Amino acid sequence: MFLSACGTTAAQRRASEFGQQFQTASATAMNCVQQVYEKPENAEVRRRTPLRIEELTDFHIRDRSRPRPNDGEMLATWDLDMQECYKQTRHQLEPVGQYILGWHDETTRQYNEARTQLLQGAVSWGEYNRRRQEIYTASNESLRQAQAQFNQELEAAHASEMRSRQIAAGIALILLGAAAGAAAGYAGGGYYPPTQNVSGYRRSDGTYVAPYIRTRPDSNPCNNFSSRC
C-alpha cells in the first residue's frame, strides 16, 4: 500500500480541529453577549438595539433619540462588558490562525468604535443600529474571504504532504526492489541479474505507479526477480 493512502494529512486534521475551535468560539461569544444583554440594568439597551440584527425593526432604524445623560454609567458598563466578550472570543480564536484573527479584530474595532460614538452622543440610536447592520454585512463578507484564504493555505499544505508521501512511497519501493534483487542473486548462487530503474508514471485510468527496479528485458526468463528457475 502507498504511504499516501495511510491516514489523514496534518492539514486535514488541522482543518477539523480549527473548525471545531471556531464553532466553540462563536458559541462562547453569543452566550457572553446574551448574558450582557439580559442584565436587568440593560433594559434600555435591549429596547433601543436588540441583540440580534434580524430583530431590528423600523422603530430601531428610525429612532432619532440619543442616550440620556443619566444612562451614561449603565452604557459605559455595557460597553466594557461587550469588550470583555470580544476578548474572550479572541482568546479562543488564537489557535485558528492569522486570517480569522484579522477578521475578528477588524470587526471588533468597528463595533467598539460605533458604541463609542453612541456613548459620546455623536450618533442617535437609529444611526447606531444602521451602523450595526453595515458592520454585520461587511463582517460576513470579510469572514468568507478569511475562510477562503485559510482553506487555500490548508489545501497547499495538504497537496505538499501528499507529494512527500508519494516520493517516500517511491523510495520505499526502490529499496524493496533492490532487496528483492539481492535476495534473488544470493539464492541463485551469487548471480546478480542486470537491473534498470523505471520512473514513476500514471496509468490511463489515473492510477499512480511509483518508481521501481526491474531486470533488464532479455530472452532469459530465469534471471527475472520473480523467476523460479
Side-chain angles (χ1 to χ4, degrees):
M1 180 180 294
F2 294 131
L3 295 179
S4 59
C6 299
T8 58
T9 65
Q12 289 173 320
R13 293 191 296 272
R14 183 183 174 200
S16 177
E17 292 170 0
F18 287 5
Q20 294 174 359
Q21 288 172 332
F22 183 81
Q23 291 179 354
T24 299
S26 298
T28 297
M30 178 54 68
N31 290 336
C32 183
V33 172
Q34 188 168 356
Q35 290 177 10
V36 172
Y37 264 75
E38 289 176 352
K39 287 184 176 181
E41 59 267 32
N42 288 335
E44 179 69 6
V45 172
R46 291 195 298 273
R47 189 171 79 88
R48 297 292 184 179
T49 180
L51 170 60
R52 293 176 175 79
I53 292 294
E54 57 268 23
E55 294 176 351
L56 289 173
T57 65
D58 286 343
F59 163 76
H60 300 114
I61 299 300
R62 298 176 181 177
D63 188 355
R64 297 182 179 180
S65 62
R66 297 173 186 263
R68 299 169 298 185
N70 58 340
D71 288 336
E73 183 176 350
M74 177 270 293
L75 291 176
T77 301
W78 166 61
D79 179 52
L80 290 175
D81 287 342
M82 293 292 287
Q83 291 187 43
E84 184 61 30
C85 289
Y86 294 144
K87 289 179 182 178
Q88 292 180 21
T89 305
R90 191 186 195 285
H91 178 71
Q92 291 191 332
L93 284 176
E94 284 180 354
V96 178
Q98 59 177 337
Y99 301 119
I100 302 301
L101 272 183
W103 159 79
H104 174 269
D105 291 348
E106 176 58 22
T107 301
T108 297
R109 184 193 66 77
Q110 294 180 20
Y111 276 126
N112 288 342
E113 184 179 81
R115 284 198 313 279
T116 297
Q117 291 179 334
L118 177 68
L119 269 61
Q120 293 175 345
V123 298
S124 66
W125 282 102
E127 290 172 320
Y128 170 73
N129 286 326
R130 288 194 294 275
R131 181 58 181 146
R132 279 187 65 193
Q133 287 181 322
E134 293 172 357
I135 295 173
Y136 178 79
T137 301
S139 175
N140 284 339
E141 178 59 30
S142 297
L143 178 58
R144 281 193 289 270
Q145 294 176 1
Q147 289 174 328
Q149 290 176 303
F150 181 65
N151 289 337
Q152 288 177 358
E153 181 181 279
L154 290 182
E155 288 171 0
H158 172 73
S160 176
E161 185 169 347
M162 293 300 292
R163 286 193 297 270
S164 296
R165 289 188 179 192
Q166 289 180 341
I167 293 173
I171 293 174
L173 289 178
I174 289 174
L175 294 176
L176 180 61
Y186 179 80
Y191 173 70
Y192 189 78
T195 62
Q196 64 179 178
N197 295 327
V198 178
S199 302
Y201 63 96
R202 193 170 296 278
R203 295 175 179 165
S204 59
D205 60 358
T207 302
Y208 177 77
V209 178
Y212 62 95
I213 294 177
R214 70 182 181 188
T215 56
R216 296 185 182 280
D218 56 24
S219 58
N220 182 8
C222 292
N223 66 2
N224 294 333
F225 288 150
S226 59
S227 172
R228 296 186 179 183
C229 295

